[in-house]
């Protein structure tokens, strides 16, 4: 992957073309999915898709004038800093609230991309076009926000955040949740393998402590190096790495600390209860912040946790 700051003007324009094509097709999918139940909203998304297509043609004309007909293949996944977009447009039936949140997120990110790209450009024509597109994306974001005013009740609106706030929460909560899941699940196997192999609380605690801290360091560096935050506004990558690493360590320590209890079987019973609570909390967080259905989140987390838990017991009892 390439850093946003390392892109040339040719690559910036090629990436902008790819982004506009992707967004236009997504809005077309939104319009198609909503046309039966929300025809007015479908018209709005068709208009937004048409505008994105117009943006693409303007970018193509400028690219050909500056760099010729060959456009490098560079996509959002090739550049650090973009938000990972879940393919919600493939879900049927597609809820209006889901579409609204996704549209706001898309427009906030695209607006930020054009604003940053315009600042970096040294070519006057490129800089002007990118700046104009940033302003037009701001108007798109306002259209997406009007969906909330028209279709979402005041009670629901009071509990939701603005699009930039959603973007911030998504990118702050996500590394913390990833760390908590990794710490709570991945450390189960070494901890309970050591527990059933030694049947000694002190030895088991040392293994759990080492596994938790080691996993925290690993996950912290992985998160810090995954995204420099140049486009998403996620802030310092090292701060995100610290959050992810701390949550990973905390997730592992949750079921390691009971082994400070000298009596082995009492400590094991408490540790198992803590594991159940941890998995329930993770399922709730995924449902609350990551839009995962509660039953699906619980099934995924519990099955994964039980598999790792059983692996540790089997290895430790061998």
């Amino acid at each position: 992957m390439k850093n946003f700051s390392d892109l040339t003007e040719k690559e910036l324009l090629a990436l902008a073309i790819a982004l506009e094509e992707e967004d236009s097709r997504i809005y077309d999918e939104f319009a198609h999915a909503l046309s039966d139940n929300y025809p007015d909203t479908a018209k709005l998304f068709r208009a937004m898709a048409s505008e994105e297509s117009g943006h693409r043609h303007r970018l193509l004309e400028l690219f050909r004038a500056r760099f010729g007909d060959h456009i490098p293949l560079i996509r959002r996944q090739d550049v650090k800093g973009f938000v990972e977009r879940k393919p919600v447009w493939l879900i049927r039936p597609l809820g209006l609230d889901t579409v609204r949140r996704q549209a706001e997120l898309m427009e906030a990110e695209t607006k930020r991309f054009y604003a940053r790209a315009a600042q970096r450009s040294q070519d006057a024509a490129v800089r002007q076009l990118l700046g104009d597109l940033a302003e037009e994306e701001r108007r798109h974001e306002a259209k997406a926000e009007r969906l909330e005013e028209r279709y979402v009740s005041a009670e629901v609106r009071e509990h939701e955040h603005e699009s930039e706030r959603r973007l911030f929460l998504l990118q702050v909560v996500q590394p913390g949740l990833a760390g908590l899941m990794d710490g709570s699940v991945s450390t189960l196997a070494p901890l309970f393998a050591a527990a059933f192999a030694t049947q000694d609380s002190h030895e088991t605690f040392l293994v759990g402590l080492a596994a938790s801290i080691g996993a925290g360091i690993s996950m912290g560096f992985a998160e810090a190096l995954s995204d420099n935050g140049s486009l998403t506004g996620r802030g310092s990558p090292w701060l995100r790495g610290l959050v992810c690493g701390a949550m990973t360590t905390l997730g592992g320590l949750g079921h390691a600390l009971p082994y400070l209890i000298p009596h082995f079987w009492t400590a094991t019973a408490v540790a198992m209860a803590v594991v159940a609570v941890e998995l329930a909390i993770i399922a709730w967080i995924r449902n609350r912040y990551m839009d995962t259905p509660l039953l699906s989140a619980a099934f995924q987390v519990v099955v994964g946790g039980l598999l790792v838990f059983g692996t540790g017991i089997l290895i430790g009892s061998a």
Side-chain angles (χ1 to χ4, degrees):
M1 295 180 70
K2 207 169 185 181
N3 288 324
F4 176 72
S5 58
D6 296 332
L7 296 178
T8 65
E9 288 194 347
K10 182 177 182 179
E11 291 171 332
L12 280 174
L13 282 179
L15 177 59
I17 292 168
L19 291 175
E20 292 293 355
E21 181 175 7
E22 179 184 354
D23 286 356
S24 177
R25 296 184 67 178
I26 291 173
Y27 287 142
D28 269 334
E29 289 294 328
F30 285 167
H32 178 73
L34 297 173
S35 57
D36 291 337
N37 296 323
Y38 305 99
D40 291 339
T41 306
K43 290 179 182 178
L44 182 145
F45 276 114
R46 287 193 185 96
M48 291 173 70
S50 178
E51 286 190 38
E52 300 291 5
S53 182
H55 293 173
R56 178 174 173 271
H57 285 294
R58 289 159 63 186
L59 289 163
L60 281 169
E61 290 175 2
L62 182 58
F63 187 94
R64 290 193 183 102
R66 288 289 187 271
F67 305 110
D69 291 330
H70 175 70
I71 303 175
L73 178 60
I74 180 168
R75 302 155 300 180
R76 55 185 296 112
Q77 59 264 38
D78 301 324
V79 181
K80 290 183 178 180
F82 282 101
V83 175
E84 180 182 354
R85 293 181 182 173
K86 296 184 293 183
V88 296
W89 46 93
L90 300 180
I91 301 172
R92 296 294 187 276
L94 189 59
L96 185 63
D97 198 47
T98 300
V99 170
R100 176 178 51 83
R101 287 199 300 267
Q102 184 71 22
E104 289 178 1
L105 183 63
M106 289 168 58
E107 295 304 330
E109 182 188 41
T110 305
K111 176 189 69 176
R112 191 189 307 276
F113 164 74
Y114 279 129
R116 294 290 181 88
Q119 292 173 1
R120 291 196 59 248
S121 177
Q122 301 299 315
D123 184 290
V126 174
R127 188 184 185 95
Q128 180 179 351
L129 177 58
L130 294 177
D132 290 344
L133 292 178
E135 184 58 36
E136 291 177 27
E137 293 297 340
R138 289 189 182 93
R139 292 198 292 272
H140 268 196
E141 189 179 12
K143 287 182 181 180
E145 289 172 351
R146 284 200 295 274
L147 289 175
E148 181 175 8
E149 297 175 2
R150 184 170 183 177
Y151 294 105
V152 182
S153 67
E155 181 180 355
V156 173
R157 191 160 56 242
E158 289 176 0
H159 295 285
E160 293 192 339
H161 304 282
E162 297 177 356
S163 58
E164 290 286 345
R165 179 61 176 168
R166 289 192 185 97
L167 183 62
F168 172 77
L169 282 177
L170 176 63
Q171 299 309 318
V172 170
V173 170
Q174 195 171 36
L177 177 59
L180 183 61
M181 290 178 62
D182 185 84
S184 297
V185 176
S186 68
T187 57
L188 289 176
L191 179 75
F192 286 100
F196 282 84
T198 65
Q199 295 194 8
D200 181 276
S201 288
H202 180 67
E203 297 293 332
T204 302
F205 172 73
L206 292 180
V207 171
L209 182 64
S212 301
I213 295 176
I217 294 172
S218 175
M219 286 291 290
F221 274 102
E223 173 62 30
L225 298 175
S226 67
D227 174 15
N228 61 11
S230 59
L231 294 178
T232 60
R234 296 175 69 189
S236 168
W238 296 109
L239 179 59
R240 291 196 327 272
L242 180 62
V243 171
C244 184
M247 292 303 294
T248 303
T249 302
L250 180 63
L253 286 177
H255 42 260
L257 289 175
Y259 283 98
L260 290 173
I261 300 172
H263 189 269
F264 172 75
W265 291 110
T266 301
T268 300
V270 174
M272 290 180 176
V274 170
V275 169
V277 172
E278 289 173 345
L279 296 180
I281 291 174
I282 291 172
W284 179 84
I285 293 175
R286 293 191 65 192
N287 171 255
R288 174 67 178 83
Y289 292 104
M290 309 307 293
D291 296 326
T292 305
L294 185 58
L295 289 178
S296 176
F299 179 79
Q300 294 169 10
V301 172
V302 170
V303 169
L306 289 177
L307 287 174
V308 177
F309 176 72
T311 300
I313 293 177
L314 286 174
I315 293 175
S317 302

